[in-house]
Amino acid sequence: MKSRFKKHSILPGFGLSLGFTMLYLSLLVLLPLSMIFVNTASMSWSDFWSTVTEPRVVASYKLSFGAAFVAASINMVFGVLIAWVLVRYSFPGKRLIDGLVDLPFALPTAVAGIALTTLYAKTGWVGQFLSFKVAFTPLGVTVALTFIGLPFVVRMVQPVLQNFDKETEEASAILGANRRQTFIRVIIPEILPAALTGFSLAFARALGEYGSVVFIAGNMPMKTEITPLLIMTKLEQYDYAGATAIAAVMLIISFIMLLFINGMQWWMNRKFAHY
Amino acid sequence: MAGHVPLSYGSRKTVKKAAEEPLFIRVFLTVVAFIFLFLFLVLPLAAIFIKAFEQGIHVYLAAITEPDALAAIKLTLLVVLLTVPVNALFGIAAAWAITKFDFKGKSLLTTIIDLPFAVSPVIAGLVFVLLFSTHGLFGDLLFANDIKIIFAIPGIVIATLFVTLPFVARELIPLMQSQGSSEEEASLTLGAGGWKTFWLVTLPNIKWGLLYGIILCNARTVGEFGAVSVVSGHIRGLTNTMPLHIEILYNEYQFSAAFAVASLMSILAIVTLIFKNMIEWKANQHG
């Protein structure tokens, strides 16, 4: 009855490769992550609820979500712009800039954190020219999260623009549309799914980000404390139950984001299957 | 005589023009993109190196050769050696199972492989504290056998394994999916065994994708901060990786030393980017 589970194939190694994969994932991912829910389940509902709705915790959700949303939005606008410039225009040093876009993926987050803090502090190279404070405010958190999420939208939109037929735009122009109409009616609908997927990836990454934010945030309770930092603080005080409860809330939100992103990618693949 | 009438050069050009932005808009958009990338990428990168050498080359050299820094570099290399090969092996096995066979629950499996990317690094550290600390699930067992995982090197390795798990698998799955399995089937039909087919047919086909995944996995392993921070215990000279060492120096206001160690990691990041682009270029050449 093996064929019910798996279609016939002459290739060997199914048992070995799937067995190893399942064992590894169970031990390293599923068992550890389930500990969050097992430990949370041993708390009483009222304990759990009062922990995750404490004012300091709620303030951290607001900051984490708000800053992640703003950063992902900035990245969506500038990501589409950068992808457009990189695909459509030619200028000297284009290959170099294209390669540099991935820097946030390669640079350790702590390194990015101290570099951004130094730049955007009151006396920093950028900070001294600004009339408002960036480092140690929610704005600083947003700057760090923008850096972290920068490549996502660019890398999602770029291939779509590359495969996009220039003739479609020419047809639109021949039919009498001006450039603005072509952009809004022809180009935007084509790149929107990719841009939204990039947005959600950047948002999800920004929500959980820790390394680059702790340096620039200043970490003042109620003001510039992100949720992952609060988990860290509770752990350092050996308040494992509190840390786990907040982690459970974050995990559930992350799972919902993941489902949303997968659904979006599935929709995109179906929509663009003819390419 | 009816026949093919080519569009005249002039009208073709007019159409092209209509499907392009005016020059000033093109220049404007390019300049805006440049300013954004300059502020967010070029300036931070430049700042790291300038700050690192601010107090001269001697301070720089002293910062990267002091015993604690050397211990941090050694520990980071050790974690790379233990983590990257295991996750590369996992990536190959997972991609083989997922792309070469049809079975139920495949998309669920793919989603589970992606999970570590969706989880905050701090939570990734926390789950192993819940398992292996003295109050954790296996706490009594580990204590009875005198094994230390949390606040020790094994904890750092396990947390890093979790965080970098998806990199190789995620590169290989789409690649092997697009390649199909007809070449492997031909090799088996011609009498080669399973391992021989893998070494001589599959591995040469996926080598660039595999290398690409390994390089990304390596970059993240070296730079992982949040998860390692939770499980390491920050014991100087013992359980401090390079990013944790940077944090300590920075918090002690030893900025030049912090940026000196940071510059080493930035060089690695730049090398990673160069490799990544070379591999992408190679992969495009091979079709």
Side-chain angles (χ1 to χ4, degrees):
Chain A
M1 290 311 283
K2 205 179 167 190
S3 59
R4 287 219 160 204
F5 167 64
K6 167 190 166 265
K7 274 194 198 155
H8 180 72
S9 164
I10 67 158
L11 293 178
F14 178 70
L16 180 67
S17 61
L18 188 70
F20 176 64
T21 303
M22 300 281 270
L23 182 72
Y24 193 72
L25 283 175
S26 308
L27 287 179
L28 198 64
V29 178
L30 296 178
L31 171 72
L33 283 182
S34 67
M35 288 305 290
I36 298 272
F37 298 106
V38 170
N39 280 35
T40 311
S42 67
M43 285 174 92
S44 77
W45 175 253
S46 61
D47 276 355
F48 173 78
W49 190 249
S50 65
T51 306
V52 300
T53 56
E54 209 184 299
R56 190 171 160 192
V57 181
V58 172
S60 84
Y61 299 145
K62 278 185 191 154
L63 176 67
S64 275
F65 275 89
F69 186 82
V70 173
S73 306
I74 294 172
N75 276 326
M76 182 147 111
V77 174
F78 283 94
V80 169
L81 173 72
I82 292 164
W84 180 266
V85 168
L86 284 176
V87 172
R88 286 302 175 87
Y89 305 155
S90 53
F91 46 86
K94 185 164 140 169
R95 289 250 333 144
L96 187 72
I97 289 174
D98 192 34
L100 199 65
V101 167
D102 285 320
L103 181 72
F105 285 164
L107 197 68
T109 52
V111 174
I114 62 170
L116 290 169
T117 313
T118 307
L119 285 179
Y120 289 91
K122 201 80 204 133
T123 52
W125 296 353
V126 181
Q128 60 180 313
F129 296 111
L130 302 172
S131 55
F132 45 90
K133 266 182 85 175
V134 179
F136 317 124
T137 69
L139 196 60
V141 178
T142 312
V143 166
L145 296 181
T146 307
F147 174 87
I148 289 303
L150 197 144
F152 286 106
V153 178
V154 182
R155 291 300 182 232
M156 289 306 291
V157 172
Q158 223 174 0
V160 178
L161 275 177
Q162 248 144 16
N163 292 332
F164 185 57
D165 229 338
K166 191 100 215 257
E167 277 156 32
T168 321
E169 284 168 62
E170 290 174 7
S172 159
I174 292 172
L175 293 170
N178 63 32
R179 194 63 193 145
R180 201 173 55 99
Q181 285 170 321
T182 306
F183 192 75
I184 293 171
R185 299 257 178 107
V186 179
I187 297 167
I188 293 224
E190 199 72 13
I191 59 176
L192 193 64
L196 283 175
T197 309
F199 172 88
S200 7
L201 286 169
F203 182 70
R205 173 73 208 266
L207 265 188
E209 177 56 22
Y210 173 77
S212 58
V213 179
V214 282
F215 295 99
I216 203 168
N219 310 330
M220 286 166 281
M222 303 299 292
K223 284 198 188 110
T224 58
E225 201 174 41
I226 53 166
T227 311
L229 177 75
L230 206 58
I231 297 176
M232 195 74 159
T233 312
K234 295 224 180 250
L235 266 177
E236 275 164 8
Q237 297 161 349
Y238 298 101
D239 179 8
Y240 289 171
T244 312
I246 302 171
V249 173
M250 276 200 83
L251 261 189
I252 290 168
I253 293 163
S254 302
F255 289 164
I256 295 170
M257 289 290 305
L258 191 67
L259 279 179
F260 178 75
I261 293 167
N262 277 1
M264 191 90 104
Q265 266 163 349
W266 176 80
W267 180 65
M268 246 173 86
N269 285 339
R270 217 178 50 146
K271 192 173 170 214
F272 299 108
H274 54 280
Y275 281 145
Chain B
M1 211 176 95
H4 178 65
V5 182
L7 275 171
S8 77
Y9 181 69
S11 70
R12 177 77 195 155
K13 208 174 175 185
T14 323
V15 171
K16 273 236 149 125
K17 257 224 148 79
E20 233 170 40
E21 299 82 43
L23 183 67
F24 75 93
I25 290 186
R26 275 185 284 167
V27 171
F28 174 74
L29 292 179
T30 312
V31 168
V32 172
F34 264 74
I35 292 173
F36 185 80
L37 290 175
F38 181 79
L39 277 179
F40 277 95
L41 297 184
V42 180
L43 220 47
L45 196 60
I48 294 163
F49 288 98
I50 291 170
K51 292 278 168 193
F53 287 103
E54 212 170 38
Q55 293 183 26
I57 185 100
H58 293 292
V59 175
Y60 182 87
L61 288 177
I64 59 174
T65 51
E66 59 139 337
D68 285 345
L70 287 178
I73 294 170
K74 265 189 213 151
L75 177 58
T76 301
L77 289 179
L78 177 71
V79 174
V80 168
L81 284 179
L82 292 173
T83 307
V84 177
V86 176
N87 273 340
L89 202 66
F90 163 76
I92 295 171
W96 182 268
I98 286 172
T99 61
K100 301 295 182 195
F101 305 98
D102 258 321
F103 56 92
K104 278 181 185 158
K106 201 157 137 173
S107 59
L108 182 69
L109 192 63
T110 321
T111 308
I112 294 174
I113 292 175
D114 275 347
L115 266 183
F117 277 169
V119 172
S120 170
V122 174
I123 297 178
L126 167 69
V127 292
F128 293 107
V129 171
L130 295 179
L131 277 177
F132 300 124
S133 74
T134 37
H135 306 286
L137 188 64
F138 298 125
D140 294 332
L141 188 73
L142 292 173
F143 188 74
N145 292 296
D146 202 21
I147 302 171
K148 216 167 159 46
I149 292 184
I150 298 301
F151 305 144
I153 294 171
I156 297 177
V157 174
I158 294 171
T160 310
L161 276 176
F162 175 95
V163 173
T164 61
L165 180 143
F167 280 103
V168 176
R170 272 183 74 127
E171 287 307 322
L172 288 184
I173 290 169
L175 179 70
M176 285 166 72
Q177 206 120 52
S178 71
Q179 285 174 347
S181 31
S182 48
E183 285 186 37
E184 280 86 358
E185 280 161 7
S187 158
L188 288 165
T189 316
L190 291 171
W195 285 111
K196 201 174 175 188
T197 302
F198 174 77
W199 284 110
L200 297 180
V201 177
T202 311
L203 205 57
N205 275 340
I206 62 169
K207 61 175 186 245
W208 295 118
L210 181 63
L211 196 60
Y212 191 99
I214 286 175
I215 281 170
L216 294 180
C217 181
N218 177 59
R220 182 69 194 263
T221 304
V222 170
E224 179 48 34
F225 179 73
V228 170
S229 188
V230 174
V231 295
S232 107
H234 305 270
I235 306 163
R236 273 201 180 194
L238 279 179
T239 62
N240 261 348
T241 60
M242 288 172 82
L244 299 178
H245 187 62
I246 292 175
E247 185 197 21
I248 290 184
L249 292 173
Y250 189 84
N251 287 341
E252 287 174 347
Y253 302 103
Q254 301 189 40
F255 295 128
S256 289
F259 278 107
V261 181
S263 76
L264 288 184
M265 304 188 78
S266 308
I267 292 170
L268 184 76
I270 294 167
V271 171
T272 302
L273 288 185
I274 293 172
F275 260 120
K276 189 170 175 288
N277 277 289
M278 267 167 50
I279 292 167
E280 264 165 356
W281 183 72
K282 271 257 179 350
N284 280 338
Q285 265 196 333
H286 289 267

